[in-house]
């Protein structure tokens, strides 16, 4: 058996409840080996990608359902979104529910007013596009390698509403400043960073326009050292708006702008500049009128934390309205009104509102927050994915009455059971409490299998990384996966099968409770600590958790939170801090020779604000720690001054049990099967040892 390369050093309130699709007593309790097998197979945890799109004038809805091919090739883990996820593209007839299969691929775009779909076919690696009809007939195909031999692939695609034109942004050319040559076979193997050398940033991008049959290819624009995140046809399909990103010398992140392309005149102009790091997160033109809605940040900050949006006029470039913070995913109802999500930590806790271009906002009750209006604004459709991975597609009629919008009762037209129904899924509940300053952070509570309301259970507090995204697992599950392996929500069912309750807690650094709620003066971790502990205390008050048997686990940014918690409270009997080696925020700001975007966005640089960074560094508060802690990192991690080593030494100096595990893996999330197995069993042993000592040895701990 191949063993992992690991160096180990050791010294001495409830809102909503969901019923699993398969009752716990009929499913198979999740064991560590089952969890590892599930992750190794790259098995999906939802039957559908959590996005849907209207097409064909509101007669059909496009959804992307999981296939065996997708399960085999999707990849999992925190950075799995960088691997193209292939799904079966299929359409659902709104009137009859009839389903038509299109083909297997990813990143589909549609023509809202026509029967046209474009997507990347499986295995295309972003270099090909298939154009098809909603009945499944392929019309034509575009290969960008045939257009541009030095292409780096497709960056963005937009279909005109009438399906008559396709816009494709194609990256090409090597970075302006090429990487250094490889080290010689003999002689010194050395990497040299030089302050005078320009940063290697990116390539160029060309915008091509084709007709609806992939012909009449025209190269309408070229942008140097630029990337395009999203594009949309606007001005009644006559012009194109794109969200672009270009480097800024001396910054750790690019500047985002909105560019306007006129294909007929082959002209390019800047529509709005410095719109912030989330400029590419959303972009949609009004069905009529010269307006485009886009995600925006008034301060032009380079990190995607603020959840604002704006409406800009193509006619004069004037920004019409900026949303109340936080708002997400604006989409047009008509030429004067958009729908927008009122943020929540999970899609099922978000709310819906209408916002007019005059800035007037009205919350809509009884309608799912992710509802998407049809092109004519007469219907809504939404895709619900519950906390177990089950999915359903519903529609409702929409009308304007008494100055507001009213929806008819929902009609479900498609449903799929969760892929994990054969396992015993623990009961999950949403929780929410009120923190010290009025912020109401959310959490998901996972109850032990066969939960007895008369008993108290040991509690594991699980802190997600990011910190963006909250409790939303996106395309990788019904909610944020567990932080030991960062790959599957089944991790929580494994703990539940072992008799633990798990609290998956959100905190204000996720940006979902208002950007201004996040301190910029060095109290951020203290604020997050308050948010996390108020939900911990609520679970204790409700009689679920045993306050004398609690552990805290976190990965990446969640590990930063663990580092803060264990240096500021004695309430936890065990902790695991995984891949949060930036224990000292000042040193972590420039780990690897690059500045940290989030820290720079929130606090400026430690060159200018050293006291802010000192107040946020847990190593300044290690005297008197009492929590036995496992620190986990990897050889490839950026560990400035080996700060996990520093914390481990501080624990040992004070006679507190600690363990420092360093894996020979260059990834931020362990991907080697032997490493994953070793880490999982080591974590189980560590938690059992301090919370359930009678369980120690109850599983095969040999990696």
């Amino acid at each position: 058996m191949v063993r992992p390369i690991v160096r180990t050093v050791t010294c001495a309130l409830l809102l909503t409840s969901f019923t699993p699709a398969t009752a716990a007593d009929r499913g198979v309790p999740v064991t560590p080996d089952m969890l590892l097998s599930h992750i190794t197979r790259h098995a999906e945890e939802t039957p559908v990608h959590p996005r849907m799109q209207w097409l064909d004038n509101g007669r059909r809805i496009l959804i992307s359902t999981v296939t065996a091919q997708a399960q085999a090739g999707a990849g999992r883990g925190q950075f799995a979104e960088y691997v193209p996820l292939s799904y079966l593209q299929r359409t659902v007839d709104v009137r009859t529910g009839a389903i038509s299969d299109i083909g297997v691929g990813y990143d589909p775009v549609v023509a809202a007013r026509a029967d046209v779909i474009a997507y990347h076919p499986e295995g295309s690696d972003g270099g090909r596009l298939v154009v098809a009809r909603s009945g499944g007939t392929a019309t034509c195909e575009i290969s960008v390698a045939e257009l541009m031999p030095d292409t780096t692939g497709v960056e963005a695609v937009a279909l005109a509403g009438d399906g008559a034109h396709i816009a494709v942004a194609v990256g090409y050319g090597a970075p302006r400043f090429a990487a250094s040559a490889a080290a010689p076979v003999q002689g010194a193997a050395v990497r040299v960073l030089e302050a005078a050398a320009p940063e290697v940033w990116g390539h160029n991008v060309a915008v091509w326009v084709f007709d609806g049959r992939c012909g009449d290819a025209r190269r309408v624009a070229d942008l140097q050292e630029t990337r395009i995140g999203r594009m949309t046809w606007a001005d009644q399909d006559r012009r194109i708006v794109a969200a672009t990103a270009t480097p800024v010398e001396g910054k750790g992140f690019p500047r985002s702008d909105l560019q306007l392309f006129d294909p007929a005149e082959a002209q390019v102009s800047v529509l709005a500049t410095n719109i912030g790091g989330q400029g590419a997160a959303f972009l949609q033109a009004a069905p009529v009128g010269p307006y485009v809605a886009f995600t925006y940040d008034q301060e032009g900050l380079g990190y995607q934390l603020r959840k604002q949006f704006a409406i800009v006029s193509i006619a004069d470039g004037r920004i019409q309205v900026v949303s109340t913070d936080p708002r997400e995913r604006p989409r047009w109802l008509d030429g004067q009104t958009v729908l927008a999500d009122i943020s929540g930590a999970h899609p099922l806790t978000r709310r819906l509102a209408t916002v007019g271009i005059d800035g007037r906002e009205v919350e809509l009750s009884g309608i799912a927050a992710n509802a998407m209006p049809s092109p004519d604004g007469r219907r809504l459709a939404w895709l619900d994915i519950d906390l177990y991975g089950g999915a359903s597609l519903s529609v409702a009629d929409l009308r304007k009455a008494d100055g507001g919008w009213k929806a008819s009762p929902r009609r479900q037209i498609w449903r799929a059971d969760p892929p994990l129904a054969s396992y015993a899924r623990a009961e999950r509940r949403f929780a929410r409490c009120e923190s010290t300053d009025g912020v109401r952070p959310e959490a998901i509570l996972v109850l032990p299998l066969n939960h007895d309301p008369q008993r108290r259970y040991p509690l594991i507090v699980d802190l997600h990384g990011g910190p963006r995204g909250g409790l939303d697992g996106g395309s990788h599950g019904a909610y944020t996966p567990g932080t030991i392996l960062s790959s599957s929500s089944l991790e929580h069912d494994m703990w539940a099968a072992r008799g633990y309750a798990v609290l998956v807690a959100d905190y204000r650094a996720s940006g979902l409770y208002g950007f201004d709620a996040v301190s910029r003066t060095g109290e951020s971790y203290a604020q997050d600590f308050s948010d996390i502990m108020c939900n911990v205390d609520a679970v204790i008050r409700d009689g679920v958790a045993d306050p004398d048997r609690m552990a805290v686990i976190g990965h990446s940014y969640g590990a930063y939170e663990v580092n803060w918690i264990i240096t500021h409270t004695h309430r936890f009997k065990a902790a695991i801090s995984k891949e949060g080696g930036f224990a000292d925020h000042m040193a972590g700001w420039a780990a690897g020779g690059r500045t940290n975007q989030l820290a720079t966005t929130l606090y400026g640089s430690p060159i200018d604000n050293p006291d802010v960074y000192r107040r946020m560094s847990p190593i300044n508060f290690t005297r008197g720690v009492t929590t036995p802690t496992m620190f986990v990192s990897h050889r490839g991690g950026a560990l400035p001054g080996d700060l996990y080593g520093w914390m481990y030494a501080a624990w040992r100096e004070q006679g507190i049990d600690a363990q420092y595990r360093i894996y020979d893996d260059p990834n931020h999330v362990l991907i080697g099967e032997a490493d994953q197995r070793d880490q999982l069993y080591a974590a189980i042993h560590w938690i059992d040892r301090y919370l359930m000592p009678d369980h120690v040895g109850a599983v095969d701990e040999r990696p």
Side-chain angles (χ1 to χ4, degrees):
M1 177 180 292
V2 178
R3 298 181 63 86
I5 302 174
V6 55
R7 301 190 294 277
T8 304
V9 192
T10 306
C11 72
L13 155 68
L14 301 180
L15 299 179
T16 309
S17 177
F18 289 82
T19 302
T22 300
D25 59 359
R26 286 186 290 148
V28 180
V30 179
T31 66
D33 281 348
M34 287 180 183
L35 172 61
L36 290 165
S37 175
H38 172 78
I39 294 171
T40 301
R41 296 195 314 272
H42 306 304
E44 287 294 327
E45 301 197 2
T46 61
V48 63
H49 192 283
R51 290 189 308 204
M52 46 74 58
Q53 301 176 70
W54 288 93
L55 74 155
D56 199 11
N57 280 313
R59 288 187 283 268
R60 296 175 185 263
I61 296 171
L62 178 72
I63 58 175
S64 302
T65 58
V66 173
T67 67
Q69 295 96 320
Q71 290 178 348
R76 297 205 62 79
Q78 178 168 345
F79 298 112
E81 62 266 28
Y82 298 129
V83 180
L85 302 179
S86 292
Y87 293 92
L88 176 61
Q89 310 303 325
R90 50 182 16 176
T91 61
V92 182
D93 188 290
V94 173
R95 295 165 298 174
T96 67
I99 293 177
S100 299
D101 293 346
I102 308 299
V104 176
Y106 57 95
D107 289 346
V109 295
V110 303
R113 304 188 306 276
D115 183 19
V116 182
I117 302 165
Y119 64 93
H120 295 287
E122 186 178 37
S124 66
D125 295 325
R128 291 187 292 127
L129 281 171
V130 170
V131 179
R133 302 292 181 183
S134 61
T137 304
T139 303
C140 58
E141 184 173 311
I142 296 171
S143 173
V144 295
E146 296 177 1
L147 296 172
M148 306 175 66
D150 59 345
T151 179
T152 58
V154 175
E155 296 192 353
V157 180
L159 265 171
D162 60 6
H165 295 93
I166 309 165
V168 182
V170 182
Y172 70 95
R176 179 178 171 187
F177 307 105
S180 303
V185 176
Q186 295 181 340
V190 59
R191 293 178 63 202
V192 179
L193 303 180
E194 297 185 74
E199 289 185 271
V200 175
W201 192 82
H203 48 237
N204 309 317
V205 64
V207 177
W208 291 76
V209 173
F210 305 82
D211 63 25
R213 300 194 63 83
C214 308
D216 189 26
R218 290 176 292 143
R219 189 169 178 170
V220 300
D222 271 88
L223 300 175
Q224 303 299 303
E225 278 196 273
T226 299
R227 294 176 179 173
I228 290 182
R230 287 185 184 271
M231 295 192 302
T232 184
W233 286 88
D235 195 19
Q236 284 66 64
D237 296 343
R238 288 191 293 269
R239 289 187 280 184
I240 303 164
V241 178
T244 65
T246 53
V248 179
E249 188 67 32
K251 298 290 186 181
F253 45 82
R255 187 192 74 245
S256 295
D257 303 313
L258 288 185
Q259 304 270 6
L260 182 63
F261 303 96
D262 186 334
E265 302 295 332
Q267 293 180 345
V268 184
S269 60
V270 177
L271 182 60
T273 189
N274 202 26
I275 61 176
Q278 63 260 45
F282 176 83
L283 188 65
Q284 190 181 66
V288 294
Y291 300 114
V292 174
F294 62 102
T295 40
Y296 180 62
D297 186 336
Q298 286 173 296
E299 297 183 54
L301 297 175
Y303 195 82
Q304 187 179 342
L305 191 64
R306 175 169 285 168
K307 304 289 184 178
Q308 293 181 313
F309 79 89
I311 297 172
V312 64
S313 170
I314 294 176
D316 56 17
R318 185 166 61 93
I319 294 176
Q320 303 289 108
V321 62
V322 177
S323 70
T324 303
D325 188 10
R327 298 292 180 265
E328 298 183 81
R329 297 180 61 250
R331 54 269 190 206
W332 290 93
L333 267 176
D334 56 28
Q336 300 290 311
T337 312
V338 298
L339 287 175
D341 292 356
I342 300 173
S343 293
H346 188 275
L348 294 175
T349 66
R350 294 171 189 162
R351 309 188 312 279
L352 192 64
T354 62
V355 184
I357 61 173
D358 59 359
R360 182 171 179 265
E361 180 177 295
V362 179
E363 186 172 339
L364 299 179
S365 60
I367 304 175
N370 68 354
M372 183 70 68
S374 60
D376 59 9
R378 296 180 180 178
R379 289 194 184 104
L380 293 175
W382 60 92
L383 188 65
D384 285 327
I385 300 178
D386 63 31
L387 291 178
Y388 303 94
S392 62
L393 178 64
S394 300
V395 295
D397 294 330
L398 187 67
R399 61 187 177 87
K400 198 169 186 179
D402 301 325
W405 296 85
K406 305 291 183 182
S408 67
R410 74 164 63 191
R411 178 169 59 90
Q412 191 177 101
I413 60 174
W414 179 84
R415 180 175 176 81
D417 292 329
L420 305 181
S422 61
Y423 296 101
R425 307 303 307 278
E427 181 182 349
R428 286 147 162 81
R429 301 174 178 175
F430 281 115
R432 178 179 287 168
C433 63
E434 186 164 316
S435 195
T436 53
D437 57 356
V439 171
R440 302 192 68 199
E442 299 175 26
I444 294 173
L445 175 63
V446 183
L447 294 173
L449 284 183
N450 305 313
H451 170 244
D452 180 355
Q454 304 304 313
R455 286 185 54 195
R456 287 185 179 269
Y457 293 86
L459 178 71
I460 296 173
V461 179
D462 190 337
L463 304 179
H464 65 80
R468 299 169 294 172
L471 306 175
D472 181 5
S475 61
H476 311 299
Y479 66 97
T480 301
T483 57
I484 294 298
L485 299 180
S486 305
S487 298
S488 171
S489 64
L490 277 183
E491 187 174 301
H492 298 140
D493 296 287
M494 180 205 71
W495 291 115
R498 297 180 60 77
Y500 290 95
V502 181
L503 183 71
V504 189
D506 195 28
Y507 41 85
R508 73 186 67 197
S510 67
L512 297 172
Y513 307 94
F515 186 75
D516 293 335
V518 181
S519 169
R520 297 195 189 184
T521 59
E523 290 78 33
S524 293
Y525 288 143
Q527 291 177 328
D528 293 340
F529 177 43
S530 175
D531 296 342
I532 293 163
M533 295 308 297
C534 82
N535 267 312
V536 170
D537 290 336
V539 171
I540 293 171
R541 286 195 303 270
D542 289 338
V544 174
D546 182 345
D548 296 321
R549 291 190 296 165
M550 299 194 303
V552 60
I553 300 171
H555 174 259
S556 192
Y557 194 94
Y560 302 173
E561 300 289 354
V562 171
N563 297 342
W564 183 268
I565 289 170
I566 58 182
T567 55
H568 287 79
T569 184
H570 305 301
R571 295 178 63 181
F572 291 93
K573 298 301 183 287
I576 300 177
S577 180
K578 184 170 179 282
E579 295 298 334
F582 305 135
D584 180 277
H585 224 68
M586 183 177 293
W589 173 77
R594 296 184 65 85
T595 57
N596 181 276
Q597 295 182 26
L598 175 59
T600 304
T601 294
L602 291 174
Y603 320 116
S605 79
I607 299 169
D608 299 321
N609 303 312
D611 290 341
V612 171
Y613 283 78
R614 291 191 186 99
R615 287 196 293 273
M616 297 175 60
S617 296
I619 62 173
N620 295 325
F621 305 99
T622 55
R623 178 182 292 276
V625 295
T626 61
T627 305
T629 304
M630 176 188 289
F631 302 101
V632 181
S633 190
H634 56 73
R635 176 184 56 80
L639 299 176
D642 192 11
L643 293 167
Y644 264 168
W646 195 102
M647 295 182 75
Y648 161 77
W651 262 242
R652 183 177 60 179
E653 179 74 15
Q654 298 175 79
I656 305 303
D657 199 6
Q659 189 178 101
Y660 185 16
R661 305 179 76 82
I662 309 170
Y663 289 86
D664 191 29
D665 187 322
N667 299 286
H668 192 48
V669 174
L670 293 176
I671 62 173
E673 292 182 26
D675 289 349
Q676 289 177 336
R677 180 178 178 83
D678 182 87
Q679 173 61 92
L680 180 62
Y681 277 98
I684 292 171
H685 178 82
W686 189 260
I687 298 299
D688 281 353
R689 178 178 174 183
Y690 292 102
L691 269 62
M692 285 191 181
D694 56 322
H695 275 199
V696 174
V699 296
D700 181 5
E701 299 168 27
R702 294 171 299 171

